[in-house]
């Protein structure tokens, strides 16, 4: 029987509490934005109560990982202090850890102080959109925490990334960044690294589709996460808005799986699960 992922020898994600997540099938990471200003669902789950309800809905739909983000990283977003970020994050995190002890929780942050506190409160993964470039303490902190680290590429920072992004060769440059930062992370002592090419983070529509078409190349570096859900690369092509971009998201997630993605980061868990099930049937079929 064929399987979706290109790299069939990946070790499972392992967490300090002994839990493991194998890559038997691609994993689904569910986005929970505890923010007033995220590009798609900003304000929908800004209160603790609403964020908890959404997290529990996504768990029920089969999310493998919950990715809690308390600071918006949309283009032009302003930075929060660690204290501001933790004030939003911890009430939601603490509730999920208490009521859903088997849930695997990722913290979406580029601030090492937030990462450290989140893991103390029960988070199991650090998802850093900056790949260690916006906080020079991040690698050392994550190494001491002994949790998996998601290392994403970004050109610039959230305030500047979409101001005329340019590359001579976007695939080569993103690959070189991820390889270089992965080496630095390993040298610091991080054992488990997932790479993410950073769709929409300092890229034009053309850059994003070029990366998607060449996603298999990044599998050489290890597990690959694809975060395509409802992003502008869909909306600019289809002339739609994020709230109407589910069909486009499903289409691009299908391509990402064919190109070797091991984790899909999504707002819509049920539909991502359906994509994976249908893809498995397609790959089992005889040619």
């Amino acid at each position: 029987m064929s399987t979706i992922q290109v790299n069939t020898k990946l070790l499972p994600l392992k967490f300090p509490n002994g839990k493991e997540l194998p890559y038997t099938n691609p994993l689904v990471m569910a986005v929970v934005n505890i923010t007033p200003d995220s590009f798609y669902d900003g304000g929908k789950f800004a209160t603790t109560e609403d964020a908890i309800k959404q997290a529990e809905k996504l768990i029920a739909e089969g999310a493998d990982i919950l990715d809690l983000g308390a600071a918006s990283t949309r283009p032009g977003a302003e930075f929060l202090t660690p204290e501001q970020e933790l004030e939003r994050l911890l009430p939601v995190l603490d509730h999920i850890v208490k009521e859903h002890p088997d849930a695997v929780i990722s913290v979406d942050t580029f601030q090492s102080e937030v990462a450290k506190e989140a893991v103390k409160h029960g988070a199991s993964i650090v998802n850093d959109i900056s790949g260690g470039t916006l906080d020079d303490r991040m690698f050392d902190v994550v190494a001491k925490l002994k949790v998996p680290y998601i290392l994403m590429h970004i050109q610039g920072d959230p305030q500047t990334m979409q101001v005329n992004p340019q590359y001579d060769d976007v695939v080569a440059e993103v690959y070189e960044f991820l390889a270089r930062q992965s080496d630095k992370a390993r040298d610091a002592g991080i054992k488990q690294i997932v790479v993410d090419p950073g769709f929409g983070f300092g890229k034009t529509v053309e850059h994003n589709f070029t990366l998607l078409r060449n996603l298999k190349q990044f599998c050489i570096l290890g597990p690959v996460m694809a975060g395509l859900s409802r992003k502008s690369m869909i909306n600019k092509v289809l002339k739609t808005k994020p709230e109407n971009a589910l069909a486009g998201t499903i289409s691009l997630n299908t391509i990402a799986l064919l190109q070797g993605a091991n984790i899909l980061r999504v707002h819509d868990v049920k539909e991502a699960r359906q994509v994976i099930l249908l893809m498995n049937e397609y790959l089992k079929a005889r040619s």
Side-chain angles (χ1 to χ4, degrees), residues 36-226:
D37 54 348
S38 292
F39 80 94
Y40 164 54
D41 52 7
K44 287 185 179 180
F45 316 116
T47 70
T48 299
E49 182 180 14
D50 288 341
I52 288 169
K53 286 181 180 178
Q54 176 66 2
E56 291 178 335
K57 172 180 178 287
L58 297 171
I59 290 171
E61 290 180 355
D64 296 298
I65 303 166
L66 288 179
D67 192 37
L68 303 185
S72 174
T73 54
R74 63 173 175 76
E78 295 185 3
F79 293 160
L80 298 181
T81 66
E83 293 76 18
Q84 290 172 319
E85 197 171 336
L86 287 166
E87 185 178 0
R88 292 178 182 173
L89 174 69
L90 291 183
V92 179
L93 174 58
D94 289 342
H95 177 91
I96 296 169
V97 169
K98 179 182 177 181
E99 299 297 329
H100 303 275
D102 292 332
V104 176
I105 303 170
S106 166
V107 57
D108 180 0
T109 187
F110 54 79
Q111 302 199 79
S112 62
E113 186 175 335
V114 175
K116 183 177 180 180
E117 286 301 312
V119 172
K120 281 184 180 179
H121 283 251
S124 301
I125 300 171
V126 174
N127 179 17
D128 178 6
I129 65 156
S130 81
T133 62
L134 295 180
D135 185 335
D136 58 12
R137 296 182 61 247
M138 182 63 89
F139 289 164
D140 288 336
V141 167
V142 174
K144 290 176 182 176
L145 295 172
K146 295 180 168 44
V147 296
Y149 177 67
I150 300 174
L151 191 160
M152 197 191 83
H153 173 273
I154 186 173
Q155 187 177 92
D157 60 46
Q159 293 180 322
T160 65
M161 62 188 183
Q162 288 306 107
V163 181
N164 193 30
Q166 295 187 23
Y167 301 86
D168 292 326
D169 183 332
V170 66
V171 175
E173 290 173 50
V174 171
Y175 184 95
E176 288 167 6
F177 171 91
L178 294 174
R180 180 176 66 251
Q181 292 301 106
S182 292
D183 286 344
K184 290 181 181 178
R186 289 191 188 91
D187 289 345
I190 298 176
K191 304 297 185 184
Q192 301 178 79
I193 299 171
V194 177
V195 298
D196 179 347
F199 295 104
F201 285 80
K203 285 98 176 171
T204 64
V205 170
E206 182 180 357
H207 293 147
N208 286 318
F209 278 94
T210 300
L211 287 168
L212 181 59
R213 184 160 186 171
N214 292 276
L215 196 63
K216 282 183 182 179
Q217 296 188 32
F218 297 94
C219 296
I220 299 169
L221 298 172
V224 174
M225 185 168 83

Side-chain angles (χ1 to χ4, degrees), residues 20 79 102 234 281:
E20 295 186 358
F79 293 160
D102 292 332
I234 299 167
E281 290 303 311

